Amino acid sequence: MTRKYVVRTYGCQMNEHDSERIAGLFDADGMDQADSEDDADVIVLNTCCIRENADNKLYGHLWRLKDWKDEKDGRQIVVSGCMAQKDKDTVQAKVPHVDVVLGTHNVHRAAELLDHATTHGPITEILNEAVIDDHALFPSALPARRSTSFNAWVTIQIGCDNNCAFCIVPAVRGREISRPFDEILDEVRELASQGVTEVTLLGQNVNSYGRDLNLELRRSGEDVRVTTMFADLLAQVGAIDGIRRVRYTSPHPKDMRSDVLLAMASTPSVCEHLHYPLQSGSDRVLALMHRGYTGERYLSRLAEARAMIDDLAVTTDIIVGFPGETEDDFVRTLEVAAEADFDSAYTFIYSPREGTEAAGMVEHFVDPAVIADRFERLRTVVEHSAVIKHQARVGRREEIIVEGASRRNEGVLTGRTRQNKLVHFPHKEMLRPGTYAYVDITYAAPHFLKGELVEITHVPTHKVRVPLLSVS
Ligand code: 5AD
Ligand code: SF4
């Protein structure tokens, strides 16, 4: 009988993309996707360790899965992703009923390791760094089962060369390596030929894309400037026939240059949305974090972006309670956030990650009650600008891409605007996900808009596939 699997994904889009690869490898190995855990023979937990509590949650979940495993012979549990990379052998030492532990650098080995565990018993395989081999290096080079098929993530770079004091990513994802330019274009062309119309370029620090490739050429004696190639990549991906929307995440404010903004402004398919992580507004805290910019510099770049790109939506990440953050520092974050006028912000409470520089600043940890109060104050500021930004869209006609039926109401469809805003609108006939249409915006809430369908502008041509489960 065909064995079935479920992949549960925690954390970021990079992880979601890795999950697609794991699913694709299992499919290629003759397995099928299960509808639920009850129906599954294999459960993969693709883990994240970037923020609080992930450790407790993962081990709690693994212990709860013991009963699931005992219920049926042959059931297997796989732990992959950043937490596996960080904890290595500890995962199986703590939870012996786990069958396979694999890290962030050997996603390509998922199916082989599962087979190995079936014949030889539990296995942990963690590589310390990426292997230089096309298929191993970039998740996008592996077969994928895409969760939605009108849009696709495309990895352009893995790892990160920065050393933000709070961040575990460089430790678990390794050094920054850019994927060859032509390989990315080939993948996007292939996706477009399958009917994909929207791509999101993924990397930890996308706007430094290509610097390492040029450096390598330079070292091998070629006369090239050691410069980044992200602007060029955006323009060329955006020019591929059939690609109607290009998004990317995440850029680093310290590396944001005018050429990228210009490419956004002059490539019609690149969406008017910039995710621009602020982290803090205080120059002192930004320096402690090693972010490489000041509040002023962040704001001036943002003003430049808005001047160059009409109707640009801006979102951000902000951390509250970084070690040593004073009331004055925090007030400066509030000021910069208010001035930046964000469309929305992901706000995080600082969480010490073992092995990072900030985790060692124990004597400067901020009192949790103070953090909770600051978190609320920040939320008020960002919600204020979010509501105003949303209200400004009422009465406008926007092009959306249909994502599917609303989870709460079958009679309502959900779509996304170019600015990445969610729009709910009633429908008489079902529209396939991936359909483009104009809607008139009639109502604004802080986290979504409502509208009325005006006309369909593009009917999708991709094949439908089954969604993966996503946890957070
Ligand atoms: N604590 C809290 N937030 C963090 N982030 C990264 N590391 C931490 C941490 N240790 C946030 C940053 C980053 C986002 C993906 O997660 O804001 O941009
Ligand atoms: Fe982490 Fe900083 Fe790299 Fe982003 S740029 S992944 S926050 S180290």
Side-chain angles (χ1 to χ4, degrees):
M1 225 174 74
T2 308
R3 301 226 306 150
K4 293 188 173 175
Y5 65 87
V6 162
V7 184
R8 293 206 173 272
T9 311
Y10 299 81
C12 68
Q13 288 157 319
M14 196 69 91
N15 257 17
E16 300 231 9
H17 195 25
D18 283 348
S19 290
E20 290 185 339
R21 303 298 145 179
I22 293 171
L25 290 161
F26 285 177
D27 287 353
D29 210 36
M31 292 168 73
D32 247 349
Q33 195 154 42
D35 296 329
S36 65
E37 290 186 1
D38 285 346
D39 192 29
D41 303 290
V42 178
I43 290 184
V44 181
L45 301 185
N46 191 15
T47 62
C48 165
C49 62
I50 204 160
R51 282 181 300 269
E52 60 260 307
N53 251 334
D55 305 57
N56 299 345
K57 274 196 206 151
L58 171 69
Y59 290 106
H61 194 162
L62 286 173
W63 276 109
R64 284 195 301 281
L65 283 178
K66 174 125 182 37
D67 290 344
W68 169 86
K69 186 167 167 163
D70 291 344
E71 269 165 26
K72 193 174 157 195
D73 272 354
R75 280 186 162 168
Q76 291 173 301
I77 300 172
V78 179
V79 180
S80 61
C82 298
M83 186 76 93
Q85 185 72 32
K86 176 170 86 65
D87 284 2
K88 302 184 175 66
D89 297 324
T90 324
V91 179
Q92 272 168 340
K94 280 190 183 166
V95 191
H97 60 268
V98 169
D99 296 279
V100 178
V101 180
L102 65 125
T104 52
H105 302 306
N106 54 347
V107 169
H108 63 291
R109 296 258 300 147
E112 282 152 301
L113 291 171
L114 191 66
D115 287 346
H116 186 282
T118 310
T119 48
H120 294 80
I123 179 164
T124 292
E125 183 183 279
I126 304 288
L127 307 183
N128 286 334
E129 56 180 276
V131 212
I132 306 291
D133 163 332
D134 280 352
H135 285 279
L137 201 52
F138 298 100
S140 283
L142 300 169
R145 171 186 273 275
R146 303 223 175 246
S147 52
T148 49
S149 24
F150 60 87
N151 60 10
W153 291 304
V154 176
T155 306
I156 66 165
Q157 168 199 61
I158 54 168
C160 179
D161 278 350
N162 292 312
N163 62 339
C164 301
F166 52 80
C167 187
I168 189 89
V169 167
V172 292
R173 292 268 170 185
R175 74 189 161 95
E176 200 170 292
I177 305 176
S178 298
R179 189 173 173 204
F181 201 96
D182 289 339
E183 208 180 278
I184 298 171
L185 294 184
D186 284 347
E187 187 186 2
V188 178
R189 276 191 211 104
E190 173 63 25
L191 289 167
S193 76
Q194 295 167 8
V196 168
T197 58
E198 179 179 85
V199 290
T200 304
L201 307 180
L202 284 184
Q204 302 296 347
N205 192 5
V206 287
N207 44 356
S208 68
Y209 169 79
R211 193 188 286 137
D212 55 329
L213 296 175
N214 281 331
L215 189 64
E216 222 167 277
L217 287 177
R218 178 72 174 240
R219 284 195 184 126
S220 68
E222 288 199 34
D223 184 20
V224 291
R225 276 180 56 222
V226 180
T227 177
T228 61
M229 297 194 272
F230 186 60
D232 220 14
L233 186 72
L234 260 190
Q236 292 201 36
V237 165
I240 289 174
D241 243 12
I243 296 299
R244 303 167 71 95
R245 289 186 175 183
V246 181
R247 303 186 182 280
Y248 64 91
T249 194
S250 292
H252 194 307
K254 86 176 159 50
D255 294 322
M256 188 49 112
R257 294 186 350 204
S258 308
D259 61 344
V260 172
L261 301 176
L262 194 64
M264 287 181 79
S266 57
T267 312
S269 58
V270 178
C271 290
E272 295 80 8
H273 173 213
L274 179 64
H275 184 68
Y276 205 46
L278 170 65
Q279 312 300 4
S280 168
S282 152
D283 294 350
R284 204 183 66 85
V285 173
L286 285 167
L288 287 173
M289 288 176 166
H290 310 307
R291 288 291 290 175
Y293 53 86
T294 61
E296 271 314 314
R297 162 113 197 272
Y298 179 95
L299 288 171
S300 65
R301 267 289 131 106
L302 195 54
E304 186 189 346
R306 286 198 165 115
M308 286 170 77
I309 303 154
D310 202 25
D311 198 14
L312 181 71
V314 182
T315 56
T316 199
D317 295 338
I318 302 174
I319 298 176
V320 178
F322 183 82
E325 181 189 76
T326 63
E327 174 62 17
D328 283 353
D329 292 322
F330 177 68
V331 167
R332 183 67 190 134
T333 297
L334 291 182
E335 286 168 2
V336 174
E339 198 170 331
D341 216 8
F342 294 118
D343 286 76
S344 77
Y346 298 94
T347 48
F348 305 109
I349 288 178
Y350 169 71
S351 153
R353 304 285 82 196
E354 209 183 305
T356 59
E357 185 184 335
M361 299 160 74
V362 182
E363 66 280 19
H364 300 293
F365 280 6
V366 182
D367 178 350
V370 172
I371 295 184
D373 172 63
R374 289 181 187 166
F375 191 78
E376 272 315 297
R377 287 156 68 200
L378 177 62
R379 219 169 52 90
T380 309
V381 168
V382 293
E383 289 230 332
H384 178 75
S385 62
V387 170
I388 291 174
K389 292 271 174 189
H390 270 195
Q391 279 166 349
R393 307 203 84 85
V394 174
R396 296 172 56 149
R397 184 161 290 182
E398 308 252 357
E399 189 183 60
I400 52 105
I401 182 167
V402 175
E403 292 195 337
S406 149
R407 263 186 233 162
R408 295 216 188 112
N409 185 345
E410 281 280 298
V412 171
L413 285 175
T414 296
R416 231 169 248 281
T417 69
R418 290 175 61 90
Q419 280 77 12
N420 210 28
K421 298 194 182 291
L422 213 55
V423 184
H424 299 300
F425 59 100
H427 66 97
K428 291 199 193 72
E429 50 166 331
M430 190 62 194
L431 300 180
R432 253 187 95 188
T435 304
Y436 286 80
Y438 279 116
V439 293
D440 282 341
I441 305 298
T442 53
Y443 172 83
H447 302 291
F448 65 89
L449 301 166
K450 286 186 186 174
E452 298 289 338
L453 181 65
V454 181
E455 64 171 321
I456 292 170
T457 52
H458 173 82
V459 180
T461 57
H462 64 272
K463 294 201 198 88
V464 178
R465 295 206 182 120
V466 190
L468 291 172
L469 296 171
S470 182
V471 179
S472 60

